[in-house]
Amino acid sequence: MTQDLRRALSHVRWIGGATDAGKTTVARILAERHGFQIYHYDPRDLPHHRRLAQTNPEYRAALEASMDERWVYPEPEELVQRALRVMQDRFPLVVEELLALPRRPTILAEGFGFMPEHIVPVLSSSRQAIWLVPTESFKLASMKRRKKPSFAGKTSDPERAARNLFRRDMLLAEIVRDQAQTRGLTVYEIDGSLSSGEVATLLETHFEFN
């Protein structure tokens, strides 16, 4: 089955990594340069939760939870564990949706939920995937510029909600880095020294698009 999936997904290039690293922007630049398709992970969050909620009470409870229950009350470490469970449960749905898309042109699948441990079994080559991880300063600047988190105002403690999100994301970034490096996969640290276009060019080389 794994070998079949590797063949079936050999046309997909994966751009994973932490939030606020510029994955979506870089994917769009590459798509414009080469005419590729893009599969965006983030917009599929609610549809996937709804599908999972049909058979899993944990996801039904998550959909009904208040913003405080989601982002204020839990500690960042709990948010990390929750995110890792969701990523694992969503991945089969991602694969299902990718297989339903045309094989041509190449698909760029981008999203923070693509953990290296999930992606490795479906790779035909390590050059099919790359992970982008922001420095703390780059992420903070990105969050400020994009006025994130957008949900903070819907909580009773916006500052704590924002801190929890930031800490969760940085902890996840370290997990991404560790998982990728122990598997011999490529991670780029994003610190703002390169423009989005320059990062896209680095990815072109990695994916051998040139």
Side-chain angles (χ1 to χ4, degrees), residues 118-152:
H118 302 149
I119 303 299
V120 164
V122 302
L123 294 180
S124 300
S125 164
S126 61
R127 286 193 173 273
Q128 276 184 257
I130 198 164
W131 282 266
L132 308 181
V133 176
T135 61
E136 286 197 7
S137 59
F138 185 88
K139 179 174 174 59
L140 283 171
S142 177
M143 289 181 68
K144 183 177 181 180
R145 182 178 68 254
R146 299 164 70 186
K147 298 180 180 179
K148 294 179 65 177
S150 59
F151 58 77

Side-chain angles (χ1 to χ4, degrees), residues 50-210:
R50 286 173 172 165
R51 283 189 61 184
L52 292 166
Q54 293 174 8
T55 56
N56 189 322
E58 182 179 347
Y59 286 95
R60 288 197 292 273
L63 288 172
E64 296 169 359
S66 68
M67 286 297 175
D68 278 5
E69 290 171 325
R70 296 179 187 180
W71 296 108
V72 176
Y73 304 150
E75 294 296 325
E77 292 77 11
E78 182 181 346
L79 294 175
V80 168
Q81 294 306 311
R82 181 185 299 171
L84 291 174
R85 289 196 302 273
V86 171
M87 292 170 186
Q88 181 175 359
D89 291 343
R90 287 183 61 188
F91 191 64
L93 305 183
V94 169
V95 170
E96 176 185 312
E97 291 173 348
L98 287 171
L99 292 175
L101 295 174
R103 288 185 60 86
R104 294 289 183 272
T106 293
I107 298 173
L108 299 174
E110 67 86 16
F112 93 110
F114 299 146
M115 300 299 288
E117 66 177 357
H118 302 149
I119 303 299
V120 164
V122 302
L123 294 180
S124 300
S125 164
S126 61
R127 286 193 173 273
Q128 276 184 257
I130 198 164
W131 282 266
L132 308 181
V133 176
T135 61
E136 286 197 7
S137 59
F138 185 88
K139 179 174 174 59
L140 283 171
S142 177
M143 289 181 68
K144 183 177 181 180
R145 182 178 68 254
R146 299 164 70 186
K147 298 180 180 179
K148 294 179 65 177
S150 59
F151 58 77
K154 300 177 183 178
T155 70
S156 63
D157 191 340
E159 290 186 4
R160 178 175 171 80
R163 287 197 305 271
N164 282 348
L165 174 67
F166 175 80
R167 182 58 181 157
R168 182 207 71 164
D169 288 351
M170 294 312 299
L171 290 171
L172 285 170
E174 284 306 307
I175 294 173
V176 166
R177 190 193 305 273
D178 290 345
Q179 286 190 8
Q181 291 179 343
T182 57
R183 291 164 173 81
L185 300 168
T186 301
V187 179
Y188 283 160
E189 184 172 79
I190 305 299
D191 60 7
S193 60
L194 298 179
S195 68
S196 297
E198 289 170 328
V199 174
T201 298
L202 289 177
L203 267 62
E204 281 180 321
T205 300
H206 173 80
F207 289 135
E208 299 181 325
F209 290 154
N210 296 328

